[in-house]
Amino acid sequence: MHTGTQVIQTERLLLRPFVMQDAESMLRNWIGDEEVQANYGEPVYDNIESVNELLHQWMMSYAREDFYRWAVVHKEKEECIGQIAFCHVDSAHHVADIEYCIGRSYQGQGFATVALASVIQFVFERTGLNRVQAFHRGRNVSSGRVLQKAQMKYEGILRKSYYYSETGEYDDKVYYGVIRSDIV
């Protein structure tokens, strides 16, 4: 059913398991960026020690076959510019929830779309998963475009179901999904 995180190559990207040497480029490109992390829904890491701790946790999780988390590496620059991961895997129902982020200076260049489409192809060719799903927050419209370009289908909105604790505002969750028969 599961293969765990495997290397995926594209023309401009290498998707691979994280290594400790990624810490500096992660901090420089995305994990230390408040805007990127806010859109991704994750905390900001502001020092190399905390990034190293996170990397250690992820690297320990690679021993599990149902753990999928890729470093998105720009081949030419040899920089970790983002990540793509399954934030939840439901093996009983063959479904995975996917999330991704790309550093601000690399956004708008198709990297997120290529990474997402490549992972979807990998999932349906190499695992027993039948469905990949994701949501974006209503105000993160560019993430919705990434989901559409990666052949995910719009499935609906959960109105005002995301709460921004820092501002006290609510936002919609806009859902997309793709199933095996859509791709293969």
Side-chain angles (χ1 to χ4, degrees):
M1 169 95 183
H2 293 291
T3 65
T5 307
Q6 302 291 314
V7 173
I8 302 171
Q9 299 246 13
T10 75
E11 185 178 327
R12 299 184 300 159
L13 298 175
L14 174 65
L15 308 179
R16 58 154 172 77
F18 280 92
V19 295
M20 294 304 290
Q21 293 80 1
D22 291 324
E24 288 184 22
S25 60
M26 288 169 62
L27 194 57
R28 179 175 50 254
N29 290 319
W30 55 277
I31 206 164
D33 186 317
E34 194 170 311
E35 181 180 321
V36 170
Q37 292 299 91
N39 281 333
Y40 187 46
E42 293 293 327
V44 174
Y45 291 78
D46 59 2
N47 62 67
I48 201 74
E49 294 78 19
S50 61
V51 176
N52 282 332
E53 287 176 29
L54 181 64
L55 279 170
H56 180 72
Q57 291 172 13
W58 290 347
M59 291 175 70
M60 297 300 289
S61 297
Y62 285 127
R64 294 190 354 244
E65 287 189 341
D66 67 345
F67 183 77
Y68 298 88
R69 183 172 299 275
W70 290 267
V72 177
V73 178
H74 190 288
K75 282 183 175 179
E76 187 178 312
K77 295 187 178 187
E78 298 180 357
E79 288 267 317
C80 179
I81 63 169
Q83 74 166 323
I84 187 164
F86 294 161
C87 51
H88 180 261
V89 176
D90 181 345
S91 296
H93 298 282
H94 306 174
V95 175
D97 292 277
I98 198 163
E99 60 184 4
Y100 51 86
C101 75
I102 297 292
R104 205 178 335 177
S105 61
Y106 295 96
Q107 292 176 3
Q109 300 173 50
F111 293 121
T113 301
V114 168
L116 180 58
S118 298
V119 167
I120 290 169
Q121 191 71 37
F122 166 83
V123 164
F124 294 142
E125 287 178 0
R126 308 268 309 273
T127 77
L129 293 170
N130 186 58
R131 177 180 169 80
V132 175
Q133 58 193 23
F135 77 87
H136 72 85
R137 286 172 269 154
R139 69 182 185 192
N140 191 358
V141 177
S142 60
S143 188
R145 287 193 297 271
V146 169
L147 296 168
Q148 292 165 7
K149 289 178 186 176
Q151 300 183 45
M152 296 184 80
K153 309 255 187 285
Y154 169 78
E155 294 185 335
I157 296 175
L158 293 179
R159 298 176 310 130
K160 305 299 179 198
S161 60
Y162 190 92
Y163 181 69
Y164 296 99
S165 59
E166 63 279 359
T167 63
E169 297 174 302
Y170 291 94
D171 198 356
D172 299 336
K173 286 184 180 178
V174 184
Y175 278 88
Y176 286 79
V178 61
I179 57 175
R180 179 180 297 276
S181 61
D182 292 338
I183 303 295
V184 292

